[in-house]
């Protein structure tokens, strides 16, 4: 059948099973929006800003495992997607961004709202292309979805000239290509080598990253840990791949990881790394990372092997598929002495915080009120680290946060996407006041579409993490990090159609979060905490992870100076 380019776009989305799109219309993409009007089966969420649409598509993908879709018009509409696309790229999120450009005849003439968005997005996408010929439109869109989801997932951008959206061409429906796990490079020799390293180990440690969640390997990770009796730590992106309530779990590793995880990885003789890329925030001084251990790295992306840390052995392939084969080769093992040593560290170095209305206390109250079953999104900063430390994630795709790019303003859009993808779940975004200022306009999106998420603003009236660094390493010179102005977030929320609640006392937090959950409507909770609260434990930038310190260590150091 002969269809317009706009009709082909919509039919291709339907082919791929797309049920939700986030976006913002404009001149060059009007033909597609006009066709979208005729297809209520595709739910379109009109965001307040294109960046919010990109983050929402990202959050939808992270929460569901499906490919997120966002749309924008040419020029500034397209460039406003860039931060969201880069965020998805750094965290390996499958996303397809569809933009439209000026007509082919106007390209290269500095036409109104013309930009080479395919060129702009090239370094932050798996694939970026402009479609100037309707005969390749359908196949290009199909290829975009395949690329976004296959291997190591990531975002793809398809830019379409306006004349292509109006032209007509023969369209034939196609069943989407089935994407199989990547297993071509898994070898018997590689598996046997890893098995022998595990069998020889006396102090094994498992380190879980976001790749374990992407591959759906949670069950296999649990089986491996208990089969070989090894403690487990994780990255920020790996939260939920291994239950935070399991007795073998020791907490996050790295700059704000637990002392147990940092000391344990330093002492172990074998580190089994599952879908993690050795970020600098994890390794600290990479040259001194896990120097007592042989390192095994299992990852779908060959480019990550030996990139940041040199490893003893590696297997390139889908983590779930690799672990299935490894577990089948391994007999149950016991490392009672090693586990006892780890348990002693857990008892000696528990996560702890001061009394009162603190950031960690806020997270603990959210955990209690949700019974640990919510989908938590965050922005970036101190609140993000507290959410990673004090909320115990027991299943994958329940912490959605910007790990690689560290995007302030990510959380609210991501929460919208998560709720659209998982309407059965309570979805809570935890933000700092600095981050909230970057995306507070999306509260209007919540009220417009009645998306019942809860925005918790951990409000210390400063840029908390930057201030923490200024306190510890910059002589308390608080250059441009104080936000003591007249902004009233409760009034902002109410003005945009969202219920606002302020919390200034410890005993108010639990009732506030329960009220927001039971209300079933969009809500904001503005929680005031002290401006000098800090995230501990902490490793100084560039130091080895065993140099981790907490508030007590800092106090002792100050006493020694005196």
């Amino acid at each position: 059948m002969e269809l317009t380019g706009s009709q082909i776009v919509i039919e291709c989305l339907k082919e791929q099973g797309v049920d939700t799109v986030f976006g913002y219309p404009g001149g060059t993409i009007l033909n597609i929006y006009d066709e979208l009007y005729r297809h209520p089966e595709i739910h379109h969420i009109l965001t307040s800003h294109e960046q919010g649409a990109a983050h929402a598509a990202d959050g939808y993908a992270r929460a569901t495992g499906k490919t997120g879709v966002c749309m924008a018009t040419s020029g500034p509409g397209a460039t406003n997607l860039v931060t969201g696309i880069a965020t998805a790229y750094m965290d390996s999120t499958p996303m397809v961004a569809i933009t439209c450009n000026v007509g082919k005849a106007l390209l290269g003439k500095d036409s109104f709202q013309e930009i080479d968005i395919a060129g702009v997005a090239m370094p932050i996408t798996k694939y970026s292309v402009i479609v100037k010929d309707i005969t390749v439109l359908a196949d290009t869109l199909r290829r975009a979805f395949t690329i976004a989801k296959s291997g190591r997932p990531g975002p793809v951008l398809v830019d379409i000239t306006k004349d292509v959206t109006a032209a007509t061409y023969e369209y034939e429906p196609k069943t989407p290509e089935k994407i199989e796990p990547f297993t071509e490079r898994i070898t018997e020799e590689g598996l046997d080598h890893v098995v022998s390293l595990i069998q020889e180990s006396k102090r094994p440690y498992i380190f879980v990253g976001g790749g374990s969640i992407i591959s759906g390997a949670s069950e296999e990770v649990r089986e491996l840990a208990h089969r070989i009796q090894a403690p487990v730590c994780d990255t920020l992106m790996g939260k939920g791949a291994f239950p935070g309530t399991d007795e073998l779990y020791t907490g996050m590793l790295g700059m704000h990881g637990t002392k147990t995880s940092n000391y344990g990885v330093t002492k172990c003789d074998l580190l089994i790394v599952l879908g993690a890329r050795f970020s600098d925030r994890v390794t600290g001084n990479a040259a001194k990372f896990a120097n007592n251990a042989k390192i095994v790295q299992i990852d779908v992306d060959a480019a990550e092997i030996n990139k940041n840390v040199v490893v003893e052995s590696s297997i390139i392939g889908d983590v779930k598929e690799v672990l299935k084969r490894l577990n089948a080769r391994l007999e149950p093992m016991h490392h009672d002495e090693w586990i006892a040593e780890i348990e002693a560290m857990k008892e000696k170095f528990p996560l702890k915080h001061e009394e009162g209305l603190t950031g960690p206390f806020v997270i603990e109250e959210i955990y209690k009120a949700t019974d640990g079953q919510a989908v938590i999104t965050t922005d970036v900063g101190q609140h993000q680290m507290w959410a990673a430390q004090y909320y115990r994630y027991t299943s994958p795709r329940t912490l959605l946060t910007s790990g690689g790019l560290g995007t302030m303003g990510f959380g609210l859009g991501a929460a919208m996407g998560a709720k659209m993808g998982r309407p059965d779940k309570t979805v809570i975004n935890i933000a700092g006041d600095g981050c909230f200022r970057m995306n507070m306009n999306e509260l209007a999106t919540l009220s417009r579409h009645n998306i019942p998420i809860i925005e918790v603003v951990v409000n210390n009236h400063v840029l908390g993490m930057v201030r923490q660094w200024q306190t510890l390493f910059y002589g308390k010179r608080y250059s441009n990090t104080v936000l003591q102005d007249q902004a009233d977030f409760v009034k902002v929320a109410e003005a945009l159609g969202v219920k606002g609640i302020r919390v200034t006392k410890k005993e108010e937090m639990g009732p506030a979060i329960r009220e927001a959950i039971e209300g079933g409507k969009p809500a904001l909770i503005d929680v005031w905490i002290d401006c000098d609260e800090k995230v501990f434990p902490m490793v100084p930038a560039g130091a080895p992870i065993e140099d981790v310190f907490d508030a007590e260590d800092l106090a002792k150091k100050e006493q020694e100076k005196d």
Side-chain angles (χ1 to χ4, degrees):
M1 54 184 165
E2 191 163 289
L3 300 179
T4 66
S6 297
Q7 290 172 323
I8 290 172
V9 170
I10 300 303
E11 290 304 317
C12 285
L13 293 181
K14 289 163 62 178
E15 274 183 13
Q16 299 293 329
V18 174
D19 53 26
T20 307
V21 172
F22 306 89
Y24 205 99
T28 62
I29 203 169
L30 269 181
N31 288 335
I32 291 177
Y33 269 85
D34 188 54
E35 187 58 33
L36 192 61
Y37 184 83
R38 298 178 173 88
H39 291 272
E41 66 272 27
I42 298 178
H43 193 179
H44 181 274
I45 299 296
L46 174 64
T47 56
S48 298
H49 189 282
E50 292 90 352
Q51 185 172 315
H55 291 326
D58 187 335
Y60 177 94
R62 296 191 200 212
T64 64
K66 298 191 285 188
T67 300
V69 179
C70 58
M71 291 181 175
T73 194
S74 61
T79 57
N80 281 344
L81 294 176
V82 167
T83 296
I85 293 171
T87 302
Y89 182 74
M90 290 291 283
D91 290 342
S92 305
T93 305
M95 184 169 85
V96 172
I98 298 172
T99 59
C100 284
N101 218 317
V102 297
K104 183 178 177 180
L106 294 174
L107 290 173
K109 298 182 179 179
D110 292 335
S111 303
F112 178 67
Q113 292 192 334
E114 178 198 355
I115 192 100
D116 177 14
I117 191 61
V120 169
M122 192 175 295
I124 53 168
T125 53
K126 286 185 73 178
Y127 178 59
S128 179
V129 64
I130 182 169
V131 178
K132 297 180 280 189
D133 179 357
I134 193 171
T135 65
V136 300
L137 177 59
D139 286 341
T140 300
L141 286 167
R142 290 165 181 147
R143 186 163 66 252
F145 278 88
T146 299
I147 292 171
K149 201 76 170 70
S150 60
R152 179 177 180 170
V156 172
L157 180 130
V158 179
D159 192 32
I160 309 167
T161 59
K162 186 169 184 178
D163 53 302
V164 167
T165 68
T168 59
Y169 188 67
E170 192 67 21
Y171 166 80
E172 286 186 25
K174 288 187 179 179
T175 302
E177 180 181 340
K178 188 175 181 183
I179 299 169
E180 300 288 352
F182 182 73
T183 59
E184 287 84 348
R185 297 183 66 174
I186 303 173
T187 66
E188 296 297 312
E189 294 80 7
L191 292 166
D192 289 341
H193 187 209
V194 171
V195 167
S196 68
L197 290 172
I198 293 173
Q199 289 171 338
E200 293 165 7
S201 171
K202 304 298 183 187
R203 300 188 305 278
Y205 221 115
I206 296 172
F207 174 40
V208 183
S212 298
I213 291 175
I214 292 167
S215 71
S218 298
E219 289 300 324
E220 289 75 16
V221 173
R222 281 196 287 273
E223 182 181 346
L224 175 67
H226 286 276
R227 183 173 288 270
I228 69 172
Q229 199 186 20
V232 180
C233 62
D234 55 20
T235 67
L236 180 66
M237 303 308 299
K239 290 284 175 186
F242 188 81
T245 52
D246 193 287
E247 66 270 17
L248 292 175
Y249 181 67
T250 64
M252 193 163 63
L253 179 70
M255 179 174 281
H256 293 293
T258 64
K259 283 189 170 184
T260 301
S261 291
N262 284 9
Y263 292 154
V265 166
T266 302
K267 289 184 175 185
C268 75
D269 64 6
L270 178 68
L271 184 63
I272 304 166
V273 183
L274 307 176
R277 58 185 178 83
F278 297 112
S279 156
D280 58 295
R281 288 298 173 104
V282 162
T283 63
N285 186 334
K288 297 182 179 180
F289 178 75
N291 280 349
N292 295 310
K294 293 178 179 178
I295 300 176
V296 170
Q297 186 177 8
I298 298 170
D299 203 286
V300 75
D301 187 355
E304 292 298 339
I305 308 300
N306 294 321
K307 185 176 83 174
N308 296 325
V309 171
V310 177
V311 301
E312 176 78 14
S313 183
S314 62
I315 300 177
I316 299 164
D318 180 83
V319 174
K320 183 183 181 77
E321 293 300 316
V322 173
L323 290 184
K324 279 181 181 178
R325 301 180 194 190
L326 277 179
N327 286 333
R329 282 169 157 79
L330 288 164
E331 296 295 327
M333 301 172 68
H334 297 282
H335 299 102
D336 295 337
E337 188 175 330
W338 173 233
I339 293 300
E341 185 177 347
I342 293 296
E343 285 299 317
M345 281 195 276
K346 285 165 72 172
E347 190 171 331
K348 185 177 180 181
F349 305 119
L351 282 174
K352 53 188 174 182
H353 59 86
E354 295 179 2
E355 290 296 314
L357 184 57
T358 66
F361 174 79
V362 170
I363 306 303
E364 288 175 340
E365 288 299 298
I366 293 172
Y367 181 78
K368 288 177 190 174
T370 60
D371 197 28
Q373 299 303 305
V375 171
I376 302 294
T377 67
T378 80
D379 281 291
V380 172
Q382 289 180 315
H383 64 276
Q384 178 189 34
M385 294 297 102
W386 289 324
Q389 293 172 331
Y390 290 94
Y391 197 102
R392 285 171 287 176
Y393 302 91
T394 56
S395 56
R397 303 192 182 280
T398 52
L399 175 63
L400 317 181
T401 189
S402 174
L405 197 63
T407 306
M408 293 175 70
F410 168 79
L412 186 50
M416 292 190 297
K419 186 64 179 179
M420 295 307 299
R422 295 294 309 275
D424 57 311
K425 301 291 283 187
T426 296
V427 179
I428 300 173
N429 180 48
I430 301 169
D433 48 318
C435 293
F436 178 58
R437 292 161 190 270
M438 294 193 174
N439 64 7
M440 64 172 72
N441 53 341
E442 296 302 341
L443 291 182
T445 308
L446 301 186
S447 60
R448 181 185 306 118
H449 295 280
N450 193 27
I451 304 173
I453 70 166
I454 300 163
E455 173 88 351
V456 177
V457 182
V458 183
N459 188 350
N460 55 10
H461 298 90
V462 294
L463 298 178
M465 188 62 88
V466 186
R467 182 184 177 90
Q468 176 167 329
W469 279 59
Q470 288 173 331
T471 300
L472 296 175
F473 310 118
Y474 288 85
K476 299 184 179 181
R477 294 182 295 278
Y478 300 121
S479 176
N480 293 285
T481 50
V482 178
L483 304 176
Q484 289 282 8
D485 55 26
Q486 301 304 309
D488 186 324
F489 295 157
V490 170
K491 287 183 178 178
V492 168
E494 291 172 347
L496 294 174
V498 172
K499 181 178 180 62
I501 306 169
R502 178 165 290 120
V503 171
T504 59
K505 297 176 183 176
K506 180 179 179 180
E507 57 270 21
E508 296 172 346
M509 185 62 215
I513 193 70
R514 287 191 293 273
E515 179 186 350
I517 292 170
E518 291 164 6
K521 298 282 185 182
L524 175 140
I525 304 173
D526 181 24
V527 189
W528 288 22
I529 68 168
D530 185 81
C531 67
D532 280 314
E533 264 200 72
K534 294 178 178 61
V535 177
F536 289 120
M538 182 178 185
V539 177
I545 57 172
E546 61 263 36
D547 285 1
V548 59
F549 67 91
D550 57 21
E552 290 180 3
D553 297 323
L554 206 59
K556 287 178 186 175
K557 193 173 181 180
E558 291 299 319
Q559 286 176 356
E560 289 170 3
K561 283 182 182 178
D562 296 339

